[in-house]
Amino acid sequence: MASSYPPASKPIQSLTLHEKLLKIGRNIPCTADVQSGNVHNKCSCLGWKPKINNTGRADLCECGHRVSWHGNNNSSPEELQQRLEIAMNIDKILESKNKLLDFEYEDQEVKNLKRQLISICETSNNPTKRKFTDDTDSSPNRRKMINLEITVADKSAMIEEREGVIAMKILTNDGAIENLRLLTGLKNLIKIQLPNMPPEYITRLVYDKQHYSLSIVKDNNSRVVGGITYRLFPKNKLAEIVFCVGYGSHLMNHLKDHLKENKGIKYLMTYADNHAMGFFKKNGFTTDITLERNLWMGFIKDYDEATIMQAIRIKIDEQKKNTLVYPGLKYFKTNKQPLDPMSIPGISALLTCSSQNSVEESGWTPAMEALARGNKKSIRNIMINITSELKKHPRSWPFRTPVNGDEVPDYYKVIKNPMDLSKIESKVENNCYKSIEEFAHDVRIIFHNCRVYNSEGTVYVKCASGLEKYFDDRLKFYDVPVSAAPIHIYRFV
């Protein structure tokens, strides 16, 4: 069977469906159930490989299951095409190393692309992850792949760096031939790992003289295997991450250390799509933007269908250096009366000037109590972020602006409480919402109005359902408990 595996050079349009599934399946864990007594587990196979001495079906894997069990292949044509493009890139890497028919071979580049391919499968409409009735995960192979992403890649990177196999290098387009050669290698790597990003856009930013790239090089600085492209805004003490490929957290930690120690950068921001948000959250990024808008709005690049995120670790690490440790309180050993928290060393913002130990301490103030409990400002940031994300969603186009009464003459006769995203955005900017519940109620009025005026099955109702699901997901992402208030129905016939 290996001899009939299609070559990497064969065009996608020439591949049969069976050949497409083979290319995808060799990189995806098997999702078939294996029964051992009364216990059901997932097959431990981590990728399709031809069965030795196979006398049965041609697509049987060594694990005994067909190729269709390797990956979720019941998704949309767009998702299948996206997976296939990544699988083709993996095959090109393998063929360049004469490893195309070696179904056991893996290196760091192949692992990175496999993780990307698996993440697409896990976020599709029919996820390969299955659960028992008690909601526990029943996929041991999935746990293996997640552990590989979090620990093994970073451990191997640390070992390789310690042994001199890889090295970190800051690259920019300064005209030096060696830097241009390595930048070209990084550009090609980004194109492979980010297939949906326009190649011209990647080329322009990687070679731009205002952008820098922290790159991982190996083979005596002859080959780039990972990198982060970023831009500095020194006056704002801000850096923007543009591209990030390969070696995950190990590379990100190097970038934070470099920016903090050598450039005086305190803030690190990026736009992340749904596939990348998990990675950035694990690396200390949050969607709760604390940096003033005038310091980043208009400076960093805005992307459709992506969420702005800010790193919090750079400032936290800086604050840890000035941490003061105080002895435990002895007050309650002899007193039963309440203690004023402002009298506790280490909590007050500034000890009295008469004290010889007058130092700036934790910076805590009573106002922070309100912030910790969720005050207007923190909730307002969440509402701003969610509104922006909703407007960028591809299914929000019918709801971004008010319905044109000239084009739809009877709309305002039927809908007595019209609502749209531009109106909600204006109300957020003008602090009209006293709670997140009021904000969520207005958003749901948009979906309710759509279903009242339009018939079920129309493109507008489908857009409303898709956007409503996305809205619920964003509320969960921000960990915002919202009680769904009933919406009064007014239907005129």
Side-chain angles (χ1 to χ4, degrees), residues 127-138:
T128 59
K129 178 180 176 181
R130 299 177 184 179
K131 293 188 176 182
F132 291 123
T133 54
D134 62 355
D135 208 38
T136 56
D137 194 350
S138 65

Side-chain angles (χ1 to χ4, degrees), residues 10-265:
K10 188 172 183 179
I12 291 182
Q13 58 269 24
S14 301
L15 295 173
T16 64
L17 178 60
H18 172 70
E19 290 175 328
K20 292 178 181 178
L21 296 184
L22 289 181
K23 286 184 174 290
I24 296 173
R26 74 176 292 170
N27 303 294
I28 302 293
C30 182
T31 59
D33 286 329
V34 177
Q35 185 172 356
S36 177
N38 295 324
V39 179
H40 288 267
N41 289 314
K42 285 288 186 67
C43 178
S44 60
C45 175
L46 295 178
W48 182 90
K49 55 183 72 67
K51 188 173 183 179
I52 301 174
N53 300 323
N54 182 18
T55 57
R57 296 183 60 94
D59 65 344
L60 278 182
C61 175
E62 196 174 82
C63 67
H65 301 112
R66 296 174 58 186
V67 68
S68 57
W69 283 102
H70 291 77
N72 168 31
N73 299 307
N74 297 320
S75 56
S76 66
E78 292 79 11
E79 287 176 343
L80 186 64
Q81 180 69 17
Q82 190 177 4
R83 296 181 204 170
L84 183 59
E85 288 175 356
I86 298 176
M88 292 288 285
N89 288 329
I90 294 175
D91 276 9
K92 290 176 182 177
I93 294 173
L94 294 174
E95 192 168 68
S96 68
K97 300 178 180 180
N98 295 321
K99 298 289 186 179
L100 183 62
L101 300 182
D102 184 349
F103 290 85
E104 301 290 344
Y105 177 80
E106 265 190 345
D107 60 16
Q108 192 61 49
E109 291 176 275
V110 172
K111 286 179 181 178
N112 290 337
L113 288 172
K114 279 188 176 182
R115 290 191 206 109
Q116 193 177 36
L117 185 56
I118 292 169
S119 70
I120 295 175
C121 290
E122 290 176 349
T123 54
S124 63
N125 292 331
N126 299 301
T128 59
K129 178 180 176 181
R130 299 177 184 179
K131 293 188 176 182
F132 291 123
T133 54
D134 62 355
D135 208 38
T136 56
D137 194 350
S138 65
S139 52
N141 59 319
R142 184 178 184 276
R143 285 196 292 272
K144 288 181 184 177
M145 296 308 296
I146 286 181
N147 289 336
L148 178 69
E149 180 176 358
I150 295 175
T151 60
V152 175
D154 291 324
K155 283 185 178 179
S156 64
M158 287 186 284
I159 294 172
E160 287 180 345
E161 186 176 13
R162 186 166 58 246
E163 295 178 350
V165 177
I166 62 174
M168 301 288 167
K169 190 167 184 177
I170 300 293
L171 301 175
T172 189
N173 186 2
D174 57 2
I177 298 300
E178 177 65 12
N179 283 351
L180 287 173
R181 183 180 64 80
L182 292 175
L183 283 174
T184 300
L186 176 62
K187 176 203 67 174
N188 293 335
L189 181 64
I190 295 172
K191 286 182 179 179
I192 291 174
Q193 296 205 18
L194 302 177
N196 293 330
M197 190 69 71
E200 300 83 3
Y201 181 73
I202 295 173
T203 301
R204 179 164 60 85
L205 293 188
V206 170
Y207 289 128
D208 181 59
K209 293 184 179 182
Q210 292 182 316
H211 288 74
Y212 298 83
S213 296
L214 174 63
S215 302
I216 299 181
V217 295
K218 65 189 313 183
D219 299 338
N220 295 321
N221 293 341
S222 65
R223 186 162 61 96
V224 177
V225 294
I228 296 179
T229 298
Y230 60 94
R231 182 176 178 180
L232 300 176
F233 300 96
K235 291 183 179 179
N236 302 4
K237 297 184 178 181
L238 169 68
E240 173 199 9
I241 292 178
V242 183
F243 305 120
C244 178
V245 293
Y247 282 82
S249 299
H250 186 70
L251 185 59
M252 186 66 70
N253 290 335
H254 267 284
L255 176 66
K256 289 180 180 179
D257 291 340
H258 169 73
L259 294 177
K260 183 175 62 178
E261 295 171 6
N262 301 304
K263 303 295 182 181
I265 297 297

Side-chain angles (χ1 to χ4, degrees), residues 237-239 252-253 255-261 264-269 283-285 310-321:
K237 297 184 178 181
L238 169 68
M252 186 66 70
N253 290 335
L255 176 66
K256 289 180 180 179
D257 291 340
H258 169 73
L259 294 177
K260 183 175 62 178
E261 295 171 6
I265 297 297
K266 292 185 178 181
Y267 303 96
L268 188 58
M269 302 185 77
N283 283 277
F285 283 73
Q310 173 186 327
I312 57 176
R313 295 258 174 96
I314 289 183
K315 290 217 71 179
I316 289 176
D317 292 343
E318 185 181 74
Q319 291 167 354
K320 284 181 179 177
K321 294 180 180 179

